Amino acid sequence: YFLPVAMNKIPTDLFYKVLEPRRIVGGKSPAVVLLHGRGADENDLLGLAQYLDERLAVFSIRATYPFEFGGYTYFQLSDDGTAEPVMFMESYKRLIRFVDGVASLTEIDAGRIFLLGFSMGTIMAYALSLTHPEKFAGVIAQSGFVRDHPELDFQWNALKDCAFIITHGVNDPII
């Protein structure tokens, strides 16, 4: 896919890849931001793009921190399964800034930005969408859960315009 110059110029320190929409209708494109799971990278979910709506611009982000066993992670987990709070919030803040950057692109319809997360990426998708539902048209949450954090203010009563598709397999030994 050709990468438009503007779509490759989001002000961020996160590494990401962009796939241009396969079909442009009406001037501005909806966008989906892909959030991979722990130990993967920005390439992990890109194979799904061929199955997504051809009007979507696809942004695939690499998680914030290197993972000790390879790939990347948004935060470390403690022995009791809780998120390391500083790392979690740093990833959260960087992702919100990234989404704001996507929304500011002239080629993108800021009212039609979606999140697609897998595993730890779903945890981050929930954190983003439940605290800022006005920024998202919808969320595809695969094999994840809502992680509470004292700095997050979930907007449960403001979710009416943010659609959710939630899936979870039965053979996931981690989540």
Side-chain angles (χ1 to χ4, degrees):
Y1 295 99
F2 172 74
L3 302 180
V5 173
M7 285 196 204
N8 250 351
K9 301 249 183 203
I10 295 172
T12 184
D13 58 353
L14 294 172
F15 187 83
Y16 67 97
K17 290 188 174 181
V18 182
L19 298 180
E20 177 181 74
R22 296 185 307 261
R23 186 167 66 101
I24 297 175
V25 178
K28 291 192 174 211
S29 298
V32 62
V33 177
L34 306 178
L35 302 170
H36 66 77
R38 182 173 71 162
D41 65 21
E42 70 283 358
N43 297 303
D44 187 54
L45 300 175
L46 277 177
L48 296 175
Q50 64 184 319
Y51 303 106
L52 299 175
D53 190 302
E54 60 188 10
R55 297 170 292 172
L56 286 167
V58 178
F59 296 83
S60 188
I61 301 173
R62 178 187 294 168
T64 315
Y65 301 100
F67 183 53
E68 62 188 318
F69 301 109
Y72 295 85
T73 188
Y74 298 99
F75 53 87
Q76 295 296 334
L77 291 171
S78 64
D79 291 340
D80 66 357
T82 58
E84 196 290 317
V86 173
M87 292 174 80
F88 181 92
M89 285 309 296
E90 183 61 27
S91 289
Y92 169 84
K93 290 173 185 175
R94 288 181 181 184
L95 289 170
I96 283 290
R97 284 192 302 268
F98 184 86
V99 168
D100 288 343
V102 170
S104 73
L105 296 172
T106 58
E107 301 91 345
I108 298 301
D109 179 347
R112 295 190 300 156
I113 296 176
F114 300 85
L115 296 172
L116 187 157
F118 175 72
S119 192
M120 190 178 275
T122 291
I123 293 169
M124 298 311 296
Y126 280 141
L128 298 169
S129 63
L130 295 176
T131 57
H132 292 283
E134 75 283 357
K135 294 181 184 287
F136 304 102
V139 177
I140 300 169
Q142 301 173 312
S143 297
F145 58 90
V146 176
R147 181 169 294 285
D148 199 9
H149 189 283
E151 292 183 51
L152 297 181
D153 182 20
F154 293 143
Q155 302 296 310
W156 296 108
N157 295 324
L159 293 175
K160 67 180 178 70
D161 295 324
C162 184
F164 287 80
I165 296 173
I166 300 169
T167 65
H168 196 96
V170 295
N171 293 321
D172 187 337
I174 307 287
I175 295 182

